[in-house]
Amino acid sequence: MLPTPESIQAQALFALGAQLHANRELDGQQALTVFEQARRLTPNNPDILNALGAVLSRMGRDDEAIARFEQALARQPQHADALDNLAGLLHRTRRYAQAAEHCQRWLTQTEQPGQDAPYILGRLAYTRRLMADWTNDAQRQAQLQQT
């Protein structure tokens, strides 16, 4: 199947957006604009959705970023970059239970996890450890406030 003119244009915009996103001197708005143009051409492309999530995350627009990562994963459940980006953002925003649930879901729905399985298992173990630390810290804080 030959690529469509829209998909070729979206690939070019994706490459430009990736270069703009890599430039840490920019605020991300330029990359966001270019990735949005690419998304309008190929709205179901998981790479573009993931890239949008990464830019939004960098801009501090966490809820929008999470939505884009989840859209990417809905279209390609084993998208390793989207999984990593989503888990990282969920950790950063202390949504440990969601991060653990997401990793567990990925492990159970993947028929042949291949080389990504050890990484996802590690991410899940790390998330559960953070959950335990966070729970213990919250319990300690409550105990201190009672005394």
Side-chain angles (χ1 to χ4, degrees):
M1 180 174 188
L2 293 173
T4 65
E6 291 84 8
S7 68
I8 293 170
Q9 187 178 3
Q11 288 174 356
L13 287 167
F14 177 80
L16 175 59
Q19 287 191 353
L20 291 169
H21 180 59
N23 185 343
R24 296 295 179 189
E25 294 178 14
L26 300 176
D27 65 3
Q29 187 58 50
Q30 298 91 339
L32 181 63
T33 299
V34 171
F35 284 136
E36 281 292 350
Q37 291 172 347
R39 185 191 59 79
R40 282 193 290 278
L41 293 168
T42 55
N44 294 316
N45 184 310
D47 293 326
I48 292 171
L49 293 167
N50 175 61
L52 278 165
V55 171
L56 290 164
S57 177
R58 181 172 140 200
M59 296 173 75
R61 295 165 58 178
D62 296 337
D63 291 334
E64 293 173 80
I66 289 169
R68 292 298 186 203
F69 294 140
E70 288 176 343
Q71 289 171 356
L73 290 165
R75 284 153 181 82
Q76 185 179 342
Q78 297 175 347
H79 195 288
D81 290 338
L83 176 64
D84 184 36
N85 288 333
L86 179 56
L89 178 55
L90 291 170
H91 285 154
R92 184 170 57 80
T93 57
R94 295 182 180 228
R95 301 176 198 189
Y96 302 131
Q98 286 177 289
E101 178 185 321
H102 180 72
C103 289
Q104 188 64 48
R105 187 171 57 238
W106 185 91
L107 287 167
T108 57
Q109 74 184 19
T110 303
E111 292 176 15
Q112 295 181 357
Q115 67 186 25
D116 291 327
Y119 173 78
I120 301 306
L121 286 169
R123 175 68 82 175
L124 180 59
Y126 178 63
T127 300
R128 288 182 175 158
R129 172 69 180 153
L130 290 173
M131 288 173 64
D133 288 348
W134 184 76
T135 301
N136 291 340
D137 289 345
Q139 290 170 350
R140 280 188 223 117
Q141 184 73 19
Q143 289 172 347
L144 289 173
Q145 289 176 350
Q146 291 175 354
T147 58

